[in-house]
Amino acid sequence: MKQHLLNLSLSELAAHFDTWGEPRYRAEQVALWTLRKGAKSFEEMTDLPRTLRSRLNNEFTITSPPALDTQTAHDNSTTKVLLDLGKGEAIETVRMDYDPDSNRIEGRSTICVSTQAGCAIGCIFCATGQQGFTRNLTAAEIVAQVLYFTRERPITNVVFMGMGEPLANYDAMLRAIRWLVDEQGFNIRQRGITVSTVGLIRPIERLAKEQLQIGLTISLHAPDDELRRYLIPNAGNVTINALLETGTKYQQATKRRITYAYALLEGVNDKPEQARTLAKTLRGRPIHVNLIPYNPTAGDNLRRPKPDRVLAFLREMRIAGINTTVREERGIEIAAACGQLRTDMLDNSQTT
Ligand code: SAH
Ligand code: SF4
C-alpha cells in the first residue's frame, strides 16, 4: 500500500527527495501544494517536473478521509464533521468560530481534532471513553481534520480535545503538531495549539522537552485521588500531586501556563466543599482552572449541575484566589462540544 505523504515530516520528505537526486526545496513545494493550495493529487502540482509527479504518485498518496456527514449550528458558529476512516470507523472534528468582538479582538477559528478512534481511558462521563478503544490515528489523519476546514476559512487555533487521548498516541500527535506549526506547513502560531490530556506523566515530560510553546490542559475532574480514580478508571495510579508537579515542570520548560479542566457532574464533584479542597490543593501555583459543566451523553445517569451550582463552585474557587472560568458553550444544539463526540451523531439523522 502507498504511504501517506503527511505521515512523513518535512525533513524526512526532504531526505527522501535527496535519495531521488531531487533538491530538498521540492519537499517544501509539495507541502505547500498539499496543505495550503488544497491539491488533491500530485498531478495538480504543476511546478514539479512531470516525471517527479508520477514518481510521487507511485509511492505516496495525499488523499483525505471523505466526510460522511456535517452539522452546523443555527448561528453558523459551530460546524461538526464526521470523517470516514474506512472499515466502519469514523471520527469527528469540530470547528468553532469566534467573530471579532467589541474590543476588536481578532476573529478566531478553532478546530477541535481527534487523535484516536475511541479511547482506552474510559472516563465515565465521556462518550468516547464509553465506546472503548479501536485504534490510533495516523499523523496524516490528524492533519486531514485541519485540512478539511482550512478550505473554508483560515484556522487560528487547534485544540487536541476531540476523541481520544493525544498523549497515548504521541508520535502521530507530534508529527501532526509539526505540520501545523511549521512555516512550510500550516504556519499556525505555536501559542494557538493546545493539547488536552488526562494526565500521562511521562509523555507530558517528553512534550516539555520538544522546544514547543504549545498550551497544555490537564483534565483533573476531582479534588482527591479516590474520586479521580472513579471518574477516570484507566489512567494508572497517578496522583493529583504528581500531576501538579509535572504540570509545573511543563510550565517552567515552556513558559506556558497550565490549564486544569474540571468537568462538573451534579452531586459527584460539584459541591462547594469540593471546590474548597480543590482550591487548597492548587493554591500557590500560577495555573488556570476551566470548569466544564457536564454535557449529558446518552446511556448513563450522570447529570449537569444547575447554573447556580456552577456559579457557587466558581465563586468558591475565586474567593480562594484561583484563576477560574467556566467554558463557553458552543453549538450546543448540535452537541458539538468537544469531548462528546460521534455517538450521538450516528443516531441522529438531522443533517445539513
Ligand atoms: N483525552 C483528553 C482530550 C479529549 S477530551 C482529555 O481527557 O483531556 C477533552 C475534554 O472534554 C476533557 O477535559 C474531557 O474531560 C472533557 N469531556 C469529555 N466528555 C465530557 C462531557 N460529557 N462533558 C463535559 N466535558 C467532557
Ligand atoms: Fe479518553 Fe479524554 Fe474521554 Fe477520558 S475524557 S475517555 S481520556 S477522550
Side-chain angles (χ1 to χ4, degrees):
M1 216 171 85
K2 288 193 214 175
Q3 187 169 193
H4 201 291
L5 188 108
L6 294 173
N7 285 330
L8 267 61
S9 68
L10 190 64
S11 52
E12 285 165 348
L13 190 59
H16 201 82
F17 279 128
D18 217 27
T19 66
W20 287 355
E22 290 286 342
R24 294 174 78 87
Y25 69 79
R26 293 282 186 222
E28 290 171 17
Q29 273 178 302
V30 172
L32 194 68
W33 275 107
T34 310
L35 297 175
R36 306 250 207 114
K37 296 199 209 164
K40 295 243 181 353
S41 71
F42 295 112
E43 203 41 51
E44 291 168 51
M45 304 181 182
T46 43
D47 53 1
L48 300 182
R50 194 170 288 277
T51 48
L52 180 58
R53 278 184 265 162
S54 75
R55 199 163 186 187
L56 279 164
N57 192 43
N58 289 337
E59 210 162 302
F60 296 104
T61 160
I62 51 166
T63 53
S64 288
L68 286 172
D69 198 1
T70 61
Q71 290 182 341
T72 303
H74 291 120
D75 63 0
N76 279 328
S77 68
T78 309
T79 305
K80 181 162 73 164
V81 63
L82 185 68
L83 296 173
D84 185 3
L85 299 184
K87 299 195 178 143
E89 280 311 314
I91 42 141
E92 277 196 344
T93 308
V94 182
R95 185 184 76 190
M96 294 158 280
D97 290 339
Y98 305 79
D99 284 320
D101 64 17
S102 48
N103 299 322
R104 302 228 184 102
I105 306 274
E106 73 178 299
R108 269 196 292 148
S109 195
T110 300
I111 306 289
C112 174
V113 294
S114 297
T115 52
Q116 300 182 312
C119 182
I121 310 286
C123 299
I124 66 165
F125 50 83
C126 171
T128 311
Q130 294 308 301
Q131 198 179 300
F133 174 73
T134 311
R135 71 167 173 88
N136 280 329
L137 302 194
T138 63
E141 287 167 334
I142 300 171
V143 173
Q145 298 171 59
V146 180
L147 198 51
Y148 177 87
F149 283 111
T150 45
R151 301 204 173 104
E152 296 166 16
R153 174 177 165 154
I155 303 305
T156 55
N157 297 69
V158 177
V159 296
F160 286 69
M161 297 186 185
M163 299 167 76
E165 169 49 42
L167 295 188
N169 185 14
Y170 193 92
D171 290 327
M173 174 204 70
L174 192 69
R175 279 172 182 275
I177 290 174
R178 298 262 185 232
W179 279 122
L180 297 181
V181 303
D182 258 5
E183 231 172 291
Q184 273 80 31
F186 286 111
N187 196 20
I188 296 171
R189 295 172 308 129
Q190 294 196 7
R191 290 176 164 267
I193 312 284
T194 302
V195 169
S196 178
T197 175
V198 74
L200 307 184
I201 302 264
R202 288 281 155 74
I204 295 176
E205 289 172 350
R206 199 173 154 196
L207 191 60
K209 296 189 188 121
E210 303 285 358
Q211 308 274 341
L212 287 166
Q213 286 229 311
I214 58 174
L216 185 70
T217 294
I218 299 178
S219 295
L220 205 58
H221 308 319
D224 63 79
D225 290 326
E226 199 187 337
L227 181 58
R228 191 167 190 275
R229 270 196 288 273
Y230 165 71
L231 297 174
I232 308 174
N234 312 325
N237 265 338
V238 51
T239 62
I240 291 174
N241 269 330
L243 266 182
L244 296 179
E245 284 308 307
T246 310
T248 300
K249 277 193 225 159
Y250 183 90
Q251 183 153 353
Q252 285 163 351
T254 60
K255 306 283 178 272
R256 296 297 316 270
R257 190 175 64 166
I258 304 284
T259 295
Y260 287 94
Y262 194 101
L264 280 171
L265 303 158
E266 186 183 82
V268 178
N269 65 359
D270 70 336
K271 302 182 189 88
E273 62 264 32
Q274 288 170 314
R276 288 193 288 273
T277 311
L278 178 66
K280 218 184 209 166
T281 311
L282 297 174
R283 193 145 48 215
R285 295 178 195 267
I287 52 92
H288 178 91
V289 173
N290 198 205
L291 303 174
I292 319 169
Y294 170 63
N295 273 311
T297 52
D300 59 38
N301 43 23
L302 299 166
R303 281 179 309 273
R304 164 191 283 249
K306 305 269 176 303
D308 60 335
R309 280 291 269 200
V310 175
L311 280 182
F313 199 97
L314 177 68
R315 203 174 309 123
E316 290 291 346
M317 296 294 288
R318 288 192 172 162
I319 288 170
I322 309 291
N323 185 323
T324 308
T325 48
V326 178
R327 179 181 291 180
E328 190 192 341
E329 306 281 358
R330 310 284 305 181
I332 200 81
E333 81 260 38
I334 60 161
C338 294
Q340 196 203 337
L341 298 180
R342 200 183 81 143
T343 338
D344 58 332
M345 192 157 173
L346 291 177
D347 319 326
N348 185 344
S349 52
Q350 174 214 335
T351 312
T352 52

